[in-house]
Amino acid sequence: MPVKNDRPGAFELSDVFLISYANNEVGQPNRLNIRNLITEFNIYESLTGKFLSGDMVITDATNIIQTLPLTGFERLEFFFRSPNTTVGYDFGVDKGHPMFVYNLTNRQAINPNTQIFQLKFISLEGIRDHQTRVSQAFTGNIEQMVADIAYNYLKTKKNVLVEETKSNHKFVMPRVKPSVAIDQLCKVARSKNFENSGFVFYEDANAFHFKSYEGLFCKSDGTPRDAIAHYTPKVKNITKKDDDGHTTYNLQSVESFKVLNQYDTLKNTAFGAYSSRLITHDLYNKTFNEFDYDYNIEYEKQNHLETNTNGILPFFNYDNGESFGMKHEGMIFLQSETAKVHNTHELPQSKDILQKRISQKLATNSLVLEITIPGFSEVRVGDVVTFTMPSFSRTSQDDKDPKDKYLSGRYLINAARHHVSAINKRHTMVLELVKDSFNKELPEEEYDLFTNNEADDGGLYSTSHMDEYTS
């Protein structure tokens, strides 16, 4: 983060224009600069959200709702970034991509002459997604199918960055929305570079992305991606050695944080993160097959945010010599894999996709943190960062780096919210961080500490006999 700001949370904001679909008296579109009316605004990015979106709170004493007028069919144009950076959010018509205002909500009076309301906006592709359907047969690599849908149905003029996938398939989209078609392709895609399955499709300020989780964690050769920032709760506004203007130190100071979820064993067990059984049937060849998934076995075959065997499921004797990963009947998947559906093109193999995809997604979202930091426009959803969790215990003077040995480490940015306050003249960010592995390996145990470690005095009783006994 080699950048100089006059203070943490500084930002640059251009004029903000609302452009109506209707022309004025001289044949030009009605344009209104609302920069001085903005109280605050937010921009949202998410690995699961697909499209950029945002909202603005407007304090209005000129009744722009009627004078423009605001109808829900306006373009929004502005440029926003952190000072002295090269990357920001360009929603201008010349070099960027305007947003579409689709909702006016929470309108209320402050006094007889002033009102306040909220405008919500989204990228134009988010509107087009609800205006068209994909009814087409696709043949070839899945990443090319996703690109075809993005350019030909979403009509995007933005960059589309795709990760290469394995195999050559044929899919028929039965008149579904572009986002639904892309979702279906994300579920069956397998990375060319990794032994994984399941992709995400999302938009950030730079482009649309079609990537696997491992593609977000690692480069194509398997080496971990560099963390773009190192976040730590620490004292701010101090001078740090070798950090001219202490900008980097302050920008990476965490203002607040909370652990939204550290583990959910019941959810992971119920939905197949730890173990599952897949039953496939082939109507053409009249065959059935079963495939068992064990998290502890599959974990080492994939790349993760942390290295070594630091998965979310420790290996221990749970039930008479069986581990948690051996309880395959907990989640049953049924899948058709009928041959010759598309003659020369076979369907993707569920045994290589379904169980891995579901387990990886659940594991990646098992450990979730939320941190609030000074805003910086070059931080993107899908980036890797590090976070140092305090140890929350008394430490000796010899401990130079007190931290939580399990939760500290590398995280993936799953969602980001840029919040800009015109009143405080400050840009802050709220990041949702996720992690699929611990910084330190969980202990193993060979002794069974669960089986028969409870009272064994339960019996069967008749309620009618109990009624007679108590009457």
Side-chain angles (χ1 to χ4, degrees), residues 368-432:
V368 185
L369 270 63
E370 182 182 277
I371 66 173
T372 301
I373 57 173
F376 190 62
S377 61
E378 291 190 352
V379 174
R380 294 276 182 266
V381 67
D383 286 338
V384 174
V385 299
T386 65
F387 175 74
T388 302
M389 172 73 76
S391 62
F392 294 107
S393 63
R394 293 184 178 180
T395 57
S396 65
Q397 293 182 350
D398 296 332
D399 190 352
K400 303 298 183 183
D401 188 25
K403 63 182 181 181
D404 188 300
K405 60 184 178 181
Y406 293 109
L407 300 192
S408 298
R410 291 162 56 84
Y411 283 83
L412 179 71
I413 302 179
N414 189 55
R417 175 168 71 95
H418 294 267
H419 175 76
V420 175
S421 171
I423 296 176
N424 298 326
K425 293 181 172 52
R426 193 163 192 270
H427 172 205
T428 57
M429 289 182 69
V430 179
L431 301 181
E432 182 181 279

Side-chain angles (χ1 to χ4, degrees), residues 238-256:
I238 67 172
T239 299
K240 187 76 172 177
K241 185 179 179 181
D242 299 325
D243 181 13
D244 187 19
H246 56 274
T247 302
T248 301
Y249 180 91
N250 286 328
L251 284 175
Q252 297 183 124
S253 298
V254 176
E255 298 176 0
S256 65

Side-chain angles (χ1 to χ4, degrees), residues 294 296 313-319 321-327:
D294 187 328
N296 294 120
L313 177 63
F315 186 79
F316 65 98
N317 188 347
Y318 168 66
D319 184 10
E322 290 187 335
S323 68
F324 245 78
M326 298 178 183
K327 298 296 186 180

Side-chain angles (χ1 to χ4, degrees), residues 156-170:
T156 187
K157 296 181 180 179
K158 303 168 185 173
N159 293 328
V160 179
L161 307 182
V162 297
E163 182 179 337
E164 292 180 294
T165 59
K166 293 178 180 177
S167 305
N168 190 303
H169 299 293
K170 182 175 182 178

Side-chain angles (χ1 to χ4, degrees), residues 239-436:
T239 299
K240 187 76 172 177
K241 185 179 179 181
D242 299 325
D243 181 13
D244 187 19
H246 56 274
T247 302
T248 301
Y249 180 91
N250 286 328
L251 284 175
Q252 297 183 124
S253 298
V254 176
E255 298 176 0
S256 65
F257 71 92
K258 55 184 174 181
V259 179
L260 300 180
N261 192 73
Q262 186 160 336
Y263 55 80
D264 191 335
T265 304
L266 184 60
K267 177 182 176 181
N268 288 341
T269 302
F271 292 99
Y274 304 141
S275 60
S276 62
R277 175 161 291 155
L278 170 65
I279 302 174
T280 64
H281 62 91
D282 185 334
L283 294 178
Y284 184 85
N285 294 308
K286 298 180 176 59
T287 58
F288 284 85
N289 288 291
E290 289 189 0
F291 304 93
D292 290 336
Y293 179 87
D294 187 328
Y295 176 92
N296 294 120
I297 294 175
E298 296 294 331
Y299 180 85
E300 297 182 5
K301 300 178 182 179
Q302 300 176 354
N303 293 289
H304 303 273
L305 279 167
E306 301 291 355
T307 57
N308 302 322
T309 55
N310 303 343
I312 63 170
L313 177 63
F315 186 79
F316 65 98
N317 188 347
Y318 168 66
D319 184 10
N320 290 317
E322 290 187 335
S323 68
F324 245 78
M326 298 178 183
K327 298 296 186 180
H328 307 298
E329 287 285 323
M331 184 64 193
I332 301 293
F333 299 105
L334 304 175
Q335 190 72 26
S336 173
E337 289 195 344
T338 301
K340 308 300 181 182
V341 172
H342 294 300
N343 296 324
T344 58
H345 295 83
E346 295 296 343
L347 295 172
Q349 294 292 307
S350 299
K351 65 182 180 63
D352 298 322
I353 297 174
L354 181 60
Q355 294 160 288
K356 289 181 180 180
R357 170 175 60 81
I358 291 175
S359 176
Q360 186 179 53
K361 185 175 181 180
L362 286 168
T364 302
N365 290 276
S366 289
L367 181 53
V368 185
L369 270 63
E370 182 182 277
I371 66 173
T372 301
I373 57 173
F376 190 62
S377 61
E378 291 190 352
V379 174
R380 294 276 182 266
V381 67
D383 286 338
V384 174
V385 299
T386 65
F387 175 74
T388 302
M389 172 73 76
S391 62
F392 294 107
S393 63
R394 293 184 178 180
T395 57
S396 65
Q397 293 182 350
D398 296 332
D399 190 352
K400 303 298 183 183
D401 188 25
K403 63 182 181 181
D404 188 300
K405 60 184 178 181
Y406 293 109
L407 300 192
S408 298
R410 291 162 56 84
Y411 283 83
L412 179 71
I413 302 179
N414 189 55
R417 175 168 71 95
H418 294 267
H419 175 76
V420 175
S421 171
I423 296 176
N424 298 326
K425 293 181 172 52
R426 193 163 192 270
H427 172 205
T428 57
M429 289 182 69
V430 179
L431 301 181
E432 182 181 279
L433 308 180
V434 295
K435 191 176 182 67
D436 73 331

Side-chain angles (χ1 to χ4, degrees), residues 177-191:
K177 293 181 179 180
S179 62
V180 175
I182 291 174
D183 271 340
Q184 293 178 10
L185 296 173
C186 285
K187 290 179 180 179
V188 297
R190 297 178 63 201
S191 176

Side-chain angles (χ1 to χ4, degrees), residues 438-461:
F438 291 107
N439 192 45
K440 178 180 174 61
E441 184 178 1
L442 296 173
E444 296 184 1
E445 181 56 64
E446 61 179 302
Y447 295 103
D448 188 347
L449 301 179
F450 286 87
T451 305
N452 299 324
N453 280 314
E454 59 180 325
D456 189 14
D457 56 0
L460 177 65
Y461 299 92

